[in-house]
PDB file of all heavy atoms in Angstrom:
ATOM      1  N   GLU O  30     -14.722  30.250 -12.552  1.00  0.00           N
ATOM      2  CA  GLU O  30     -14.800  28.786 -12.546  1.00  0.00           C
ATOM      3  C   GLU O  30     -13.411  28.146 -12.563  1.00  0.00           C
ATOM      4  O   GLU O  30     -13.287  26.927 -12.587  1.00  0.00           O
ATOM      5  CB  GLU O  30     -15.617  28.290 -13.753  1.00  0.00           C
ATOM      6  CG  GLU O  30     -17.108  28.422 -13.536  1.00  0.00           C
ATOM      7  CD  GLU O  30     -17.908  27.556 -14.515  1.00  0.00           C
ATOM      8  OE1 GLU O  30     -17.367  26.556 -15.037  1.00  0.00           O
ATOM      9  OE2 GLU O  30     -19.077  27.897 -14.750  1.00  0.00           O
ATOM     10  N   TYR O  42     -11.321  15.083  -9.006  1.00  0.00           N
ATOM     11  CA  TYR O  42      -9.896  15.365  -9.141  1.00  0.00           C
ATOM     12  C   TYR O  42      -9.052  14.516  -8.180  1.00  0.00           C
ATOM     13  O   TYR O  42      -7.854  14.707  -8.089  1.00  0.00           O
ATOM     14  CB  TYR O  42      -9.622  16.854  -8.894  1.00  0.00           C
ATOM     15  CG  TYR O  42      -9.950  17.720 -10.088  1.00  0.00           C
ATOM     16  CD1 TYR O  42     -11.165  18.371 -10.195  1.00  0.00           C
ATOM     17  CD2 TYR O  42      -9.029  17.874 -11.132  1.00  0.00           C
ATOM     18  CE1 TYR O  42     -11.464  19.167 -11.293  1.00  0.00           C
ATOM     19  CE2 TYR O  42      -9.314  18.657 -12.236  1.00  0.00           C
ATOM     20  CZ  TYR O  42     -10.533  19.300 -12.314  1.00  0.00           C
ATOM     21  OH  TYR O  42     -10.818  20.079 -13.405  1.00  0.00           O
ATOM     22  N   GLU O  43      -9.694  13.620  -7.444  1.00  0.00           N
ATOM     23  CA  GLU O  43      -8.941  12.888  -6.424  1.00  0.00           C
ATOM     24  C   GLU O  43      -8.035  11.810  -7.026  1.00  0.00           C
ATOM     25  O   GLU O  43      -7.253  11.189  -6.323  1.00  0.00           O
ATOM     26  CB  GLU O  43      -9.882  12.262  -5.383  1.00  0.00           C
ATOM     27  CG  GLU O  43     -10.713  11.099  -5.921  1.00  0.00           C
ATOM     28  CD  GLU O  43     -11.507  10.389  -4.821  1.00  0.00           C
ATOM     29  OE1 GLU O  43     -11.420  10.805  -3.654  1.00  0.00           O
ATOM     30  OE2 GLU O  43     -12.204   9.416  -5.147  1.00  0.00           O
ATOM     31  N   ASP O 397      -9.970  -7.231  -9.048  1.00  0.00           N
ATOM     32  CA  ASP O 397     -11.293  -6.705  -8.745  1.00  0.00           C
ATOM     33  C   ASP O 397     -11.142  -5.672  -7.633  1.00  0.00           C
ATOM     34  O   ASP O 397     -10.884  -6.023  -6.483  1.00  0.00           O
ATOM     35  CB  ASP O 397     -12.198  -7.868  -8.307  1.00  0.00           C
ATOM     36  CG  ASP O 397     -13.594  -7.389  -7.927  1.00  0.00           C
ATOM     37  OD1 ASP O 397     -13.805  -6.162  -7.839  1.00  0.00           O
ATOM     38  OD2 ASP O 397     -14.462  -8.251  -7.719  1.00  0.00           O
TER      39      ASP O 397
ATOM     40  N   ARG Y  23     -18.506   0.109 -12.998  1.00  0.00           N
ATOM     41  CA  ARG Y  23     -17.468  -0.931 -12.867  1.00  0.00           C
ATOM     42  C   ARG Y  23     -16.722  -1.135 -14.177  1.00  0.00           C
ATOM     43  O   ARG Y  23     -15.570  -1.544 -14.181  1.00  0.00           O
ATOM     44  CB  ARG Y  23     -18.114  -2.250 -12.413  1.00  0.00           C
ATOM     45  CG  ARG Y  23     -18.588  -2.245 -10.983  1.00  0.00           C
ATOM     46  CD  ARG Y  23     -17.430  -2.254 -10.003  1.00  0.00           C
ATOM     47  NE  ARG Y  23     -16.952  -3.602  -9.721  1.00  0.00           N
ATOM     48  CZ  ARG Y  23     -15.688  -3.911  -9.490  1.00  0.00           C
ATOM     49  NH1 ARG Y  23     -14.772  -2.976  -9.546  1.00  0.00           N
ATOM     50  NH2 ARG Y  23     -15.333  -5.135  -9.227  1.00  0.00           N
ATOM     51  N   ASP Y  43     -12.238  21.552 -18.014  1.00  0.00           N
ATOM     52  CA  ASP Y  43     -12.386  21.196 -16.606  1.00  0.00           C
ATOM     53  C   ASP Y  43     -12.803  19.724 -16.557  1.00  0.00           C
ATOM     54  O   ASP Y  43     -13.755  19.333 -17.234  1.00  0.00           O
ATOM     55  CB  ASP Y  43     -13.465  22.107 -15.985  1.00  0.00           C
ATOM     56  CG  ASP Y  43     -13.630  21.884 -14.489  1.00  0.00           C
ATOM     57  OD1 ASP Y  43     -13.151  20.859 -13.969  1.00  0.00           O
ATOM     58  OD2 ASP Y  43     -14.261  22.748 -13.841  1.00  0.00           O
ATOM     59  N   TYR Y  53     -17.676  10.435 -12.398  1.00  0.00           N
ATOM     60  CA  TYR Y  53     -17.210  10.448 -11.013  1.00  0.00           C
ATOM     61  C   TYR Y  53     -18.171  11.208 -10.099  1.00  0.00           C
ATOM     62  O   TYR Y  53     -18.455  10.797  -8.975  1.00  0.00           O
ATOM     63  CB  TYR Y  53     -15.813  11.074 -10.960  1.00  0.00           C
ATOM     64  CG  TYR Y  53     -14.886  10.364 -10.020  1.00  0.00           C
ATOM     65  CD1 TYR Y  53     -14.159   9.256 -10.449  1.00  0.00           C
ATOM     66  CD2 TYR Y  53     -14.740  10.778  -8.704  1.00  0.00           C
ATOM     67  CE1 TYR Y  53     -13.313   8.588  -9.587  1.00  0.00           C
ATOM     68  CE2 TYR Y  53     -13.897  10.114  -7.832  1.00  0.00           C
ATOM     69  CZ  TYR Y  53     -13.180   9.026  -8.276  1.00  0.00           C
ATOM     70  OH  TYR Y  53     -12.348   8.363  -7.419  1.00  0.00           O
ATOM     71  N   ARG Y  75     -24.697  20.387 -18.278  1.00  0.00           N
ATOM     72  CA  ARG Y  75     -23.851  20.828 -19.393  1.00  0.00           C
ATOM     73  C   ARG Y  75     -23.540  19.702 -20.373  1.00  0.00           C
ATOM     74  O   ARG Y  75     -23.038  19.947 -21.459  1.00  0.00           O
ATOM     75  CB  ARG Y  75     -22.537  21.392 -18.861  1.00  0.00           C
ATOM     76  CG  ARG Y  75     -22.661  22.813 -18.350  1.00  0.00           C
ATOM     77  CD  ARG Y  75     -21.288  23.303 -17.952  1.00  0.00           C
ATOM     78  NE  ARG Y  75     -21.354  24.621 -17.340  1.00  0.00           N
ATOM     79  CZ  ARG Y  75     -20.339  25.143 -16.658  1.00  0.00           C
ATOM     80  NH1 ARG Y  75     -19.220  24.460 -16.498  1.00  0.00           N
ATOM     81  NH2 ARG Y  75     -20.452  26.343 -16.147  1.00  0.00           N
TER      82      ARG Y  75
END
Side-chain angles (χ1 to χ4, degrees):
Chain O
E30 281 198 24
Y42 281 96
E43 70 173 1
D397 178 351
Chain Y
R23 289 289 274 146
D43 184 345
Y53 221 86
R75 280 184 185 165

